[in-house]
Amino acid sequence: MTRWRYFLRRMVLSVPILIFGTTATFWIIRMGPIDPAAAIIGPDGDQQAYQRVRDQLGLDEPLWEQYIDFMIGMFTGDFGQSWVLNPDTPAIVMLTQYAPRTIWLGFWSVLIALFIGIPLGFYAGLNSNSWSDYLASFGGIVWRAMPNFWLAVILVSLLSQSQQLFGFSWQNWIVRTNVVTSPPLDNLTDPESFLIALKTTIPAALVLGSSSMGNEMRIGRTAILETKNANYVEAAKARGIPGRSLVWKHIFRNAMVPLVPIITGEAFLLIGGSVLVETVFAINGLGFLFFQATINGDLPLVGTLMFIFILLIVGLNIVQDLMYTLIDPRVGYDGDA
Amino acid sequence: MSQEYGTVGEDLTLRERIERRPQPAVAWLGGLLVMVLLEFGALMGTVMTTVPWQSIGQTLPLTAPWAALAGIGDALADLPTLLSREVIPNQGYQLPGEGWQGTFLGLEPGVAWAFRVLLIYGYSFVLLAWTFYGYELFRRHYRAADWTPYDDMLSRLDGHRWGQFGFVIVFAFVVMAVFAPALGPTTVDRNIANPYENEIQYYDENAGEVMTTLVGNANLQSVSKGAGGRNVGPGEYDDFGRFHPFGTLPSGKDLFTFMVAGARVSLFIGLLYITLAAGLAIVLALLTAYYKGLADLAVVIAGDSVQALPQLLVLILLSFVLSDTWIADIYDGGLLLALIFAATGWPYLWRAVRGPALQVSTEEWIDAAKSFGQKPRVTMQKHMFPYVVGYLLIYASLSLGGAIIGVAGLSFLGLGVNPPTPEWGRAVSAGQPYVATASWHISLIPGIMVVLIVTAFNALGDGIRDAIDPQSQEGSTEATAGGTGA
């Protein structure tokens, strides 16, 4: 099978997945006891207003008609308008308002995890069975086992009280910021506002990336241990290739292969974890929006968010498999789907 | 090994082998009997309360003998047991000059409590060792085969300190969940669920006499709210002579009692989830590996579809949407959570065993069984299942840790397990404003417990992996182990 046919097959296979996910979302929300009309008019609304809202939203139409409308809307990019949180605002507009903060947070959490986790893992692997290896490995295991929400709670408290606890004020360090706040992203080209945005995001990004960091460390370490003793490394050593070039050209490049699924797999953890981390750090991003939309029964918003998340995950899976075939041509096209 | 005791007949049944040489088996059973008798009342109590006898009794035509049996069962359940708060009470009051009244041997409540905890853990570990000893006896005296692959797996675990660490912590956690009512310095009912329906006695220094008050009122005087000395920390007594091993919650309730009861809830949800998900995963893996083709493709698409839904978001959505329905009332929402976890988590386990199942399906013995005319179900059960089940155990151990974190994360958000049923995440949430104050224990202790137990489940998974498949590469399991991102 050529690469393009493989790619096409993956695309075709992803269609039922998208349909299933969107259908599941619709049925979960509409079959449940949530009544969006009651949520919109509030507890004091009279019967007439209630009925008017129900008619307006089309809640009394047959469920399968609503379902078909919903599905067609989702797949044609017509995501509808928010019902409860911000009435009459298109869901896609709300999405674009909230998304930048989550993307900013996700970007830094991936970056921090990559730039701490992988070097630490490679270091531990190159110095295997030394005390620094044990320390790094054990730290990685414990770090990975920490629940995000708990880590976030602890970090917020420590940073907010850093003056009293450590005699070092995190809030006043370099630029003045609050700990629990959304990063302002209006003017990122200005160095100071960039710094402020970065500083308010770093703790949350560290928490969100914690489990990925642990994973990357452990797998990086194993990958180094395996390539270090591989025959081609022995051969390169025998040919007299100097240590530095041996490590960079022959060990690191091949050790990267098993890290690919970990890095793309971070997306799953980020999407789920963002709800809790954004709640604790009071960042009004997509996770926060999803939680609010859920507890308010805002069907179009929840549906849109789920649809986008599913699209993202399915897309990332395809990209990951393509990356595999690019990095390591031995990976078959028709093996494990 | 059996040579030194003479040859064991390979063609005898286990019963016949025991009849030939009954002495070790009888001695072992005698030891077991003593240990069971010590806790017989508690065992019967569990049987009487957890099984819905009432509804079973109604469906049976003959009521009279059953009613008598139920009476006997209830009576047996009331038998005193060694490891209970009635035998070793830790609640009392201190009269000046006369010491503690009402506690075990007049000891300080903290000491009495610690004694009970030590006894419970001592009992549990002795029981565990006795079980291992029983297996050793079986291996030495009664097993027909001299050697089985399991012997090698066990011997590989022998020097696996990391896996042993995981096993010990996991076992301690299970003991905590099983003995939850006896471990706490007080009970959930008295202290957490219905504090205004129970009373305690304490010695009032101002009045100079023993007074009685409602537990709820006492709790209000024992809150942990950080500043201003309103704090009952770990290992401290409150003004009513009550000992709090982990301190109190901001509501004045006992954190340790909360934690042990929460352990029970977490373990129940985790085990039910794993049982359901692993059962589904292994059935699907065996079926798809055996039949391949279209069946495989269908399950691949189904699994991919479920995995494409962000698990934690579906958990949040479903546990919120279904929070007012009847199913959310069963076991305080625990059953619902376990079902949602199983419905969203099975593809991770299925993926983990799909590879080994496909691998074993190409072996010659499967072909042989097929051409022999063996039924597909028997082939899967006898020739494929034993090879795959070990891999399932690895991922089950890893996913259990993930489920505990997930449940805690949901209850942190106020979803999932209904209050006032204790759940660890709710303690973290309650202690959130007090982390950097004197009441640090409220958030910190539950978090550290979660970290310890999740680490232990990971270590146990590593141990099982190294035992069943020493060639497998370390780290290969991490990528697929289900984490929700909580």
Side-chain angles (χ1 to χ4, degrees), chain B residues 170 173-174 263 265-275 277-278 341 345 349 392-408 450 453-458 460-461 464 481-484:
Chain B
V170 166
F173 173 64
V174 172
V265 176
S266 296
L267 189 71
F268 171 81
I269 296 173
L271 281 182
L272 187 61
Y273 146 58
I274 283 297
T275 316
F341 264 106
L349 288 166
L392 197 66
L393 277 178
I394 306 172
Y395 289 91
S397 183
L398 297 175
S399 306
L400 252 170
I404 289 171
I405 292 188
V407 175
V450 172
I453 282 151
V454 172
T455 307
F457 271 117
N458 290 346
L460 183 63
I464 301 171
T484 55

Side-chain angles (χ1 to χ4, degrees), chain A residues 222 226, chain B residues 152 156 359 387 391 394 462-476:
Chain A
T222 321
E226 265 170 24
Chain B
D152 278 3
R156 275 194 289 266
Q359 211 177 334
Y387 182 79
Y391 294 90
I394 306 172
D462 286 350
I464 301 171
R465 182 196 56 214
D466 291 344
I468 62 165
D469 191 359
Q471 271 97 43
S472 76
Q473 38 175 310
E474 187 197 344
S476 60

Side-chain angles (χ1 to χ4, degrees), chain B residues 275-288 345-351 353-354 392:
Chain B
T275 316
L276 291 172
L280 192 61
I282 198 140
V283 167
L284 287 177
L286 290 179
L287 283 175
T288 55
W346 66 266
Y348 298 92
L349 288 166
W350 166 73
R351 266 175 187 276
V353 291
R354 181 172 174 253
L392 197 66

